[in-house]
Amino acid sequence: MFLLSRGTVAVLQIRRAKKETKEALADLDKAISLQPSAPSYTERGITYFQLSDFGRALDDFDAALKLDQHFPMALFARGYLLRQSKDSRFSEFDMTEAVRRQPGILQRAKELGFGAE
């Protein structure tokens, strides 16, 4: 399975921090078209989340979880969005499972703008 390299993720994070979201989305669209992966969909979902495009973000987190049903950041982010949309049937499970699989995820989620309440 293709994974985004740490360098690529770092570039995406810098672009998002600089508000270069169009460029970040273009890079992620290309990565997904070449080889869809849970990390690629998750990173694009995070970018959409930061743009307040919650529908597209949720779609990408769902797509990531279809490829890897246990991908921690996609689980946490989807759970967070479901909680915010008042569809809490699965939000608690997703967030709890994400923390169980990756205990440090709460700090990373906060850094990305997800309130980790």
Side-chain angles (χ1 to χ4, degrees), residues 23-95:
E23 293 85 354
L25 287 171
D27 290 346
L28 288 161
D29 289 344
K30 184 173 183 176
I32 290 167
S33 72
L34 292 173
Q35 190 165 10
S37 69
S40 298
Y41 276 111
T42 301
E43 289 295 327
R44 191 171 73 178
I46 291 166
T47 304
Y48 282 132
F49 170 80
Q50 292 174 339
L51 291 170
S52 299
D53 191 341
F54 303 126
R56 283 186 175 172
L58 190 57
D59 289 345
D60 275 352
F61 299 137
D62 284 339
L65 292 166
K66 284 181 183 172
L67 295 172
D68 181 350
Q69 67 182 351
H70 302 295
F71 197 72
M73 185 52 74
L75 276 169
F76 187 90
R78 182 177 73 177
Y80 179 84
L81 284 176
L82 290 174
R83 178 186 283 175
Q84 300 309 307
S85 70
K86 309 298 185 232
D87 184 1
S88 61
R89 293 175 291 159
F90 300 106
S91 67
E92 199 62 38
F93 172 80
D94 282 357
M95 294 173 83

